[in-house]
Amino acid sequence: MNKSKSIAVLHEHYPKDFFDTLELLFKNQDFHTSLGGYPMFADSIIVRERDLLPIVNAIFSIVFGKAPAVIGSKFPGLQMWEKTTYPPGVALREINIIRNPVDVVNSYVAKTDGTLSGDAENAFCDWLNSFNYAISQRDNGDFLWLLYEEFRLNENQAIAKRVADFLKVEQDFDLAEMASSGKKAEPNFLENNSGQVVLDVITELFDVENWVDDAAEKIAAGCLVGYPLPSSGKIDMTATGNSWKYVFKGFYPAEDDGSWTKGEVGTICFTPEKNISGRLYTTLDISWSLGIHDAGTTFSIYLDDVLIGKTTLTLGASNGGSNLVIFDSPEFVQRSKSVTLRVVVGNPRNPAALGISDDNRDLGIMIRSISFAH
């Protein structure tokens, strides 16, 4: 894409680092603004509203030797990193290239010298989060997903046209350097500690023999794909637990007592060992909630977008203990192979904003575990 006169893409540069670093240029403006004297010095200081975009454009012009209309960064897994705040005038568009999970785990784990490095299960779960992100963004007009396996020499011009139309630029690039081998993906990670487990999970969740069609169908269906959960198992949200396999978004990193919900919505996805139909009990073991002046935390639980319960929790002296909240779904019907659970918090609170502590997170409830019985 960098062959285009209109496009300039950095190699794996975290956008937040880029824009946050530029914000340091405007500390002087912020200082004078706090004193009420900013307009007086506007002609002799760097001004965010006037100068930020020209500075950004100048950096890309220097690096790439052209004046691009589209700037960006190739950054795998960006959805798992802290969200970037983009300045006014920068319109965000995303291109997500999805590859067969077997090949992706190969590239993470199996090195060209034949050695194995890293963990196959972690690699697959990172990939699964990215795949689910594509599903969640399928109706977003500023998001374009492409399948790596569709990059073939006789198809690349058509794909380049799709990319150019999406970015609203002239198609003066051909993507000729990108080409799938067309060969069936074979696992090279089976000797890894979790290698066979991962292959079994991949073949359970995806039709690897017809990967291109299966991926397109799953994205079009709009249902997240969840890691398998045994019938007797639970989602352990503590630091030593297994929640990293099941959390899609909306939770802070796990701690000893569990994971705090992040903002208003936390999303978890799992694939039951057996299809669920009929009465279902969903149990949340809640270790902490942030109550203010005896005002509890209100939250709702949704399974596959169906509300199964809502409550307000005031733990008080029970904070830090085991507090079981059980939701009864008399006639639950599983609508796809995987089940999506959403925790929707009505009143998340920020301890720093409330003057309680220096904790600047938007907290709802801390969940120790989630289990299901049917």
Side-chain angles (χ1 to χ4, degrees):
M1 290 171 63
N2 280 335
K3 294 177 180 178
S4 169
K5 65 182 180 183
S6 304
I7 302 173
V9 179
L10 296 170
H11 180 70
E12 297 186 0
H13 197 119
Y14 181 27
K16 182 173 173 57
D17 283 349
F18 180 83
F19 287 106
D20 283 2
T21 300
L22 292 183
E23 274 296 309
L24 296 175
L25 296 173
F26 306 106
K27 291 181 67 175
N28 196 28
Q29 177 193 0
D30 294 338
F31 170 72
H32 286 292
T33 299
S34 69
L35 299 178
Y38 147 63
M40 183 186 309
F41 302 104
D43 292 338
S44 57
I45 62 176
I46 304 173
V47 177
R48 182 181 290 103
E49 295 76 11
R50 182 191 65 205
D51 301 328
L52 177 55
L53 288 184
I55 291 171
V56 170
N57 290 332
I59 291 172
F60 276 83
S61 179
I62 291 170
V63 172
F64 292 94
K66 56 186 175 183
V70 175
I71 61 173
S73 178
K74 172 194 171 187
F75 198 87
L78 181 61
Q79 80 285 345
M80 299 177 66
W81 291 63
E82 186 178 351
K83 189 175 181 179
T84 301
T85 299
Y86 294 93
V90 174
L92 177 63
R93 304 206 121 192
E94 295 179 83
I95 299 174
N96 190 316
I97 299 177
I98 303 166
R99 190 174 186 179
N100 185 306
V102 173
D103 279 333
V104 172
V105 177
N106 279 342
S107 66
Y108 268 71
V109 177
K111 304 306 176 184
T112 55
D113 61 1
T115 61
L116 298 176
S117 175
D119 179 73
E121 197 168 27
N122 276 288
F124 171 71
C125 288
D126 283 352
W127 175 90
L128 186 60
N129 185 279
S130 181
F131 185 78
N132 280 330
Y133 179 70
I135 292 175
S136 74
Q137 297 296 311
R138 70 195 184 285
D139 295 327
N140 181 356
D142 292 324
F143 183 89
L144 175 66
W145 63 270
L146 303 168
L147 290 176
Y148 178 81
E149 286 74 16
E150 291 187 325
F151 281 88
R152 297 180 290 270
L153 293 181
N154 59 332
E155 300 288 344
N156 282 10
Q157 282 287 355
I159 297 175
K161 181 66 166 59
R162 288 179 61 194
V163 171
D165 290 346
F166 174 71
L167 297 176
K168 300 179 181 179
V169 298
E170 175 189 352
Q171 186 206 331
D172 55 355
F173 57 97
D174 57 16
L175 301 178
E177 69 279 5
M178 294 188 66
S180 169
S181 68
K183 298 179 181 179
K184 178 185 174 182
E186 298 289 350
N188 298 325
F189 51 80
L190 294 182
E191 294 184 12
N192 186 274
N193 289 336
S194 59
Q196 187 60 55
V197 170
V198 169
L199 182 61
D200 291 344
V201 169
I202 291 174
T203 53
E204 177 183 346
L205 299 180
F206 297 93
D207 182 355
V208 291
E209 297 293 333
N210 302 287
W211 157 248
V212 171
D213 291 339
D214 186 50
E217 289 172 5
K218 282 181 166 59
I219 293 175
C223 298
L224 301 183
V225 179
Y227 197 94
L229 181 68
S231 296
S232 59
K234 67 178 180 180
I235 300 173
D236 184 344
M237 305 290 286
T238 65
T240 57
N242 60 3
S243 63
W244 53 275
K245 301 179 185 180
Y246 303 101
V247 168
F248 172 49
K249 63 178 181 179
F251 286 88
Y252 288 105
E255 303 174 33
D256 290 343
D257 285 343
S259 301
W260 283 103
T261 53
K262 181 179 184 179
E264 295 182 349
V265 182
T267 304
I268 287 171
C269 189
F270 65 97
T271 297
E273 185 175 354
K274 296 180 180 179
N275 209 54
I276 301 173
S277 180
R279 179 161 246 122
L280 175 67
Y281 295 98
T282 303
T283 301
L284 275 66
D285 184 352
I286 299 175
S287 47
W288 293 86
S289 72
L290 191 61
I292 305 296
H293 305 305
D294 296 325
T297 301
T298 299
F299 67 95
S300 304
I301 300 295
Y302 291 80
L303 284 178
D304 286 347
D305 295 325
V306 175
L307 176 67
I308 65 167
K310 180 179 181 179
T311 189
T312 298
L313 198 65
T314 305
L315 294 183
S318 296
N319 260 324
S322 182
N323 304 278
L324 302 182
V325 181
I326 302 174
F327 297 92
D328 178 12
S329 309
E331 299 179 356
F332 178 76
V333 178
Q334 189 174 333
R335 69 186 181 107
S336 69
K337 188 171 184 177
S338 300
V339 175
T340 298
L341 180 147
R342 285 189 296 124
V343 182
V344 180
V345 179
N347 52 345
R349 299 179 173 106
N350 185 303
L354 293 170
I356 298 174
S357 70
D358 293 333
D359 191 338
N360 197 34
R361 297 178 296 174
D362 295 320
L363 306 177
I365 55 175
M366 175 180 271
I367 303 174
R368 180 178 282 112
S369 67
I370 304 173
S371 58
F372 305 89
H374 56 92

